[in-house]
Amino acid sequence: MIKRDPDVEVSALGQHICMSAHKARRVIDQIRGRSYEETLMILELMPYRACYPIFKLVYSAAANASHNMGFKETNLIISQAEVNEGTVVKKLKCQKEHWCGS
């Protein structure tokens, strides 16, 4: 969520990102409550793999705020960010004679 006024919120939702929720939360905890420009700088310099999808998501939310609501990107603040568990992929286990089935 990106917020400028207490009453107005702009959001962006990222779905189907193949990553551990624990690894993404490690990055989200660093950017929550910071300004938009500071957030982009932090995400560019952090060495974690989770930074790029979160960077794209924050950039998308700022684009929504500037295009749809007419906000300036310098005034935006990350007010709320959360990561939830996604779907679990079922792994196939090979049986005897190299036959893999479900």
Side-chain angles (χ1 to χ4, degrees):
M1 290 276 189
I2 295 185
K3 200 182 230 186
R4 184 181 89 167
D5 294 332
D7 299 333
V8 181
E9 290 185 352
V10 179
S11 64
L13 180 65
Q15 292 182 334
H16 307 295
I17 299 172
C18 294
M19 187 171 305
S20 168
H22 179 26
K23 293 177 183 176
R25 279 190 201 111
R26 179 173 54 184
V27 175
I28 289 288
D29 290 339
Q30 298 294 320
I31 66 169
R32 192 177 292 124
R34 298 186 187 262
S35 68
Y36 171 69
E37 293 175 342
E38 188 178 1
T39 298
L40 291 185
M41 185 174 60
I42 289 171
L43 290 175
E44 286 177 354
L45 297 176
M46 287 181 82
Y48 301 122
R49 195 189 105 192
C51 291
Y52 184 67
I54 295 171
F55 177 84
K56 286 176 43 175
L57 194 63
V58 170
Y59 190 80
S60 173
N64 290 344
S66 64
H67 184 266
N68 297 341
M69 304 287 191
F71 295 160
K72 292 184 179 179
E73 293 179 348
T74 57
N75 298 332
L76 300 177
I77 295 173
I78 311 297
S79 64
Q80 181 182 3
E82 62 183 39
V83 177
N84 296 325
E85 294 285 337
T87 58
V88 178
V89 178
K90 184 177 179 182
K91 303 285 183 171
L92 297 177
K93 187 174 181 182
C94 292
Q95 303 293 324
K96 62 180 182 177
E97 298 178 9
H98 304 290
W99 180 81
C100 292
S102 55

